[in-house]
Amino acid sequence: MKVLIADSLHADGIKIFEEQGFQLEIHKSISAAELAKAIKGVDGLVIRSATTVTNELLDQADVLKVVGRAGAGLDNVDIPAATAHKVAVMNTPGQNSNAAAELAMAHIFSLSRNLTKANSTMRAGRWEKKNLQGREVKGKTLGILGLGNIGRILAELATGVKMRAIGLDPYLTPVQIKERGVEPVSFDELLERSDFISIHVPKSKETANLFNAATMAKMKKGAYLINCARGGIVNEEDLCDAVLGGHLAGAALDVFDTEPLPANARILQVDDIVCTPHLGADTFESQINVAIAVAKQMSEYLKTGYNEFVVNR
């Protein structure tokens, strides 16, 4: 059987496929047109965030059995179309959760102590100590939207530095939220009480544009907003207005409506908004973890027809 790796994958994952006897076609990146040609005769397709699996691509796949995402997010896969084509879709949940949680925590520290602004002003030859007074996170309230693997780990990190964690997750009961060391609250309470809000939910019809002018106006004055989840959950124009207008003290985004983010994007012109290029899962350790996981899971599925992480069973 043949496996096509459409995005960069760590060598440890490639080695597992080889040891399992699969024929491999490996790309660090591939265009949609090239992939449509290459998908012929392929049993398994490995992707990360750069490759999109559409209905049109699936129409070209004559023997495809499984698409494996080396990571958690599946918004780049048309899952209903895959189901209609009898193609299993799987991801590797939990393998990069620590990396994403640590990045969110890093943004909290960076915002509270003006680290990016301090670095840029010093590189410009300015010593602006008096203008860069920060805030301590101890005793502050962190609101976490989404308490899956990433949100749970972030809550642990936050309580470790003596922050107060409150949160909301529609898939968890109040008891389950409390078991994660988090006080369960409503969405409005999350907005009103949090000094920092960190988003850890998938993009869906319910969460798209969730943080807009109206909801950001309900946030505590001087609060910070962090999004390391998915672009489109935060309205970027409204965020710029909220920060420039002084209602929010700042924000940090790792994900955007359009990626790569255009160089002339307004959000890059706002000093108190920190932008990073979708680094959430991009650590050495997490890339090994997701590569090994997707290789093991896809190998099992292609040889036995079963794996617990298939999402469209």
Side-chain angles (χ1 to χ4, degrees), residues 159-198:
T159 55
V161 294
K162 300 184 179 179
M163 298 184 81
R164 182 184 301 109
I166 64 175
L168 168 67
D169 192 309
Y171 299 102
L172 298 176
T173 66
V175 171
Q176 290 172 318
I177 292 174
K178 288 179 181 178
E179 288 173 347
R180 286 160 166 77
V182 178
E183 177 189 346
V185 295
S186 68
F187 184 57
D188 281 345
E189 285 181 282
L190 189 85
L191 296 174
E192 294 164 4
R193 292 176 52 189
S194 301
D195 298 296
F196 298 83
I197 291 179
S198 191

Side-chain angles (χ1 to χ4, degrees), residues 23 29 31 36 38 53 63 108 111 171 181 215 228 288:
Q23 176 189 350
S29 66
S31 71
V53 178
V63 297
I108 290 170
L111 290 169
Y171 299 102
T215 51
C228 295
I288 294 175

Side-chain angles (χ1 to χ4, degrees), residues 288-306:
I288 294 175
N289 292 343
V290 296
I292 290 173
V294 78
K296 286 183 175 179
Q297 291 171 205
M298 289 180 66
S299 296
E300 178 184 33
Y301 185 84
L302 287 169
K303 291 191 171 186
T304 71
Y306 178 80

Side-chain angles (χ1 to χ4, degrees), residues 41-100:
V42 169
D43 299 276
L45 173 64
V46 181
I47 64 167
R48 291 179 60 192
S49 59
T51 298
T52 301
V53 178
T54 63
N55 184 64
E56 291 72 24
L57 175 65
L58 292 164
D59 282 340
Q60 302 303 312
D62 51 353
V63 297
L64 187 65
K65 301 174 182 66
V66 59
V67 173
R69 164 73 159 94
L74 286 168
D75 48 321
N76 55 330
V77 179
D78 187 334
I79 295 176
T83 304
H85 285 79
K86 295 183 171 52
V87 174
V89 178
M90 62 175 61
N91 61 354
T92 57
Q95 299 299 326
N96 51 22
S97 298
N98 188 72

Side-chain angles (χ1 to χ4, degrees), residues 259-280:
E259 296 184 8
L261 188 63
N264 63 349
R266 183 187 178 206
I267 202 166
L268 293 174
Q269 314 308 316
V270 182
D271 286 343
D272 292 312
I273 299 179
V274 177
C275 298
T276 50
H278 208 142
L279 298 176

